Amino acid sequence: MFDIIFLIIIVILYYYQIFIKAEKDDWSRFRPESLSTLARYLHFGAMISLFIVIIFDITWVSWIALYSLVALVICLELKEEKNKYWQKFILILIIILIFNIFRIPTHPYSFQNYVSSKEMYQCVQSFECVKITSVTTPDDQLITKVEILSVEDYSYDTYFLFAKGSMKLVSDDGIVEEMKGVNVGGFWIEY
């Protein structure tokens, strides 16, 4: 309940700061004048969505912030006419880089959670996983097969621009399954 009240206070403060208190000179850098209202809404959406991500940990809302910030840079009128496209391009790259760093998971069990999100595996505990498969018998019946796999090796490393995770699962029959992945921008890519 405190989180919701805090978010309402933030929304009211940003609305006051951007739409009521702001002077026309603050928004004169945007071209043409009709874009200044759009820039205010984009700024408002970016700030509120960032606070929603921080307070409520709803990660998909961060895409609204990225979209709003990139649109703000596109609407921005720079003072130097000579290199304005390169400056905007570099600003957009910096925003995407910061967004990528912000979206990389730092929790050591995030790769295990990714493996659990796949349909075939459920890793409830850190030392074993359950593999659920469906097998068709010769008489055309569908049977669900459940195997308990022990976690033999697990590693997770966070770097500046990406994270790496690997998990080695061993069945009772001695069959080894190894999964490796890299997280870039909050998305796991298996290799």
Side-chain angles (χ1 to χ4, degrees):
M1 184 65 179
F2 176 73
D3 295 341
I4 295 172
I5 293 171
F6 185 65
L7 184 65
I8 290 171
I9 292 170
I10 289 172
V11 168
I12 291 170
L13 287 175
Y14 267 102
Y15 186 83
Y16 174 76
Q17 181 71 27
I18 294 171
F19 294 104
I20 297 173
K21 186 182 173 196
E23 298 178 16
K24 300 266 185 207
D25 295 337
D26 294 342
W27 299 96
S28 62
R29 296 180 311 191
F30 295 96
R31 58 165 207 271
E33 290 74 27
S34 62
L35 283 180
S36 66
T37 304
L38 175 65
R40 289 180 186 182
Y41 281 108
L42 289 171
H43 183 237
F44 183 71
M47 293 299 110
I48 297 304
S49 59
L50 283 176
F51 276 105
I52 288 174
V53 170
I54 292 169
I55 295 171
F56 296 108
D57 198 27
I58 304 172
T59 56
W60 63 267
V61 179
S62 61
W63 289 101
I64 297 171
L66 176 69
Y67 175 79
S68 298
L69 290 174
V70 168
L72 270 172
V73 169
I74 291 172
C75 292
L76 190 65
E77 183 178 349
L78 300 174
K79 296 189 187 229
E80 273 189 41
E81 290 291 323
K82 212 186 308 181
N83 297 326
K84 67 180 179 179
Y85 294 112
W86 283 108
Q87 289 175 350
K88 286 183 181 183
F89 181 72
I90 290 171
L91 278 173
I92 290 172
L93 283 180
I94 290 171
I95 290 170
I96 292 173
L97 179 71
I98 292 170
F99 180 75
N100 179 42
I101 293 168
F102 183 67
R103 296 253 317 153
I104 293 173
T106 57
H107 192 272
Y109 290 110
S110 63
F111 184 70
Q112 182 177 342
N113 294 338
Y114 165 72
V115 171
S116 293
S117 71
K118 298 169 81 176
E119 292 181 13
M120 193 179 287
Y121 299 95
Q122 288 297 319
C123 298
V124 180
Q125 299 173 346
S126 61
F127 56 88
E128 67 182 4
C129 295
V130 177
K131 180 179 179 182
I132 304 168
T133 54
S134 297
V135 180
T136 306
T137 61
D139 56 344
D140 290 334
Q141 289 184 341
L142 188 65
I143 298 173
T144 302
K145 184 179 174 186
V146 178
E147 295 178 72
I148 296 178
L149 306 171
S150 61
V151 177
E152 187 175 287
D153 186 30
Y154 179 78
S155 69
Y156 180 79
D157 298 313
T158 302
Y159 300 101
F160 188 64
L161 295 175
F162 64 96
K164 286 175 42 175
S166 68
M167 180 182 280
K168 189 183 286 188
L169 303 171
V170 180
S171 68
D172 293 337
D173 304 336
I175 299 171
V176 177
E177 295 181 39
E178 188 169 4
M179 290 172 267
K180 294 181 178 183
V182 174
N183 188 306
V184 177
F187 298 106
W188 284 103
I189 304 165
E190 287 191 54
Y191 65 93

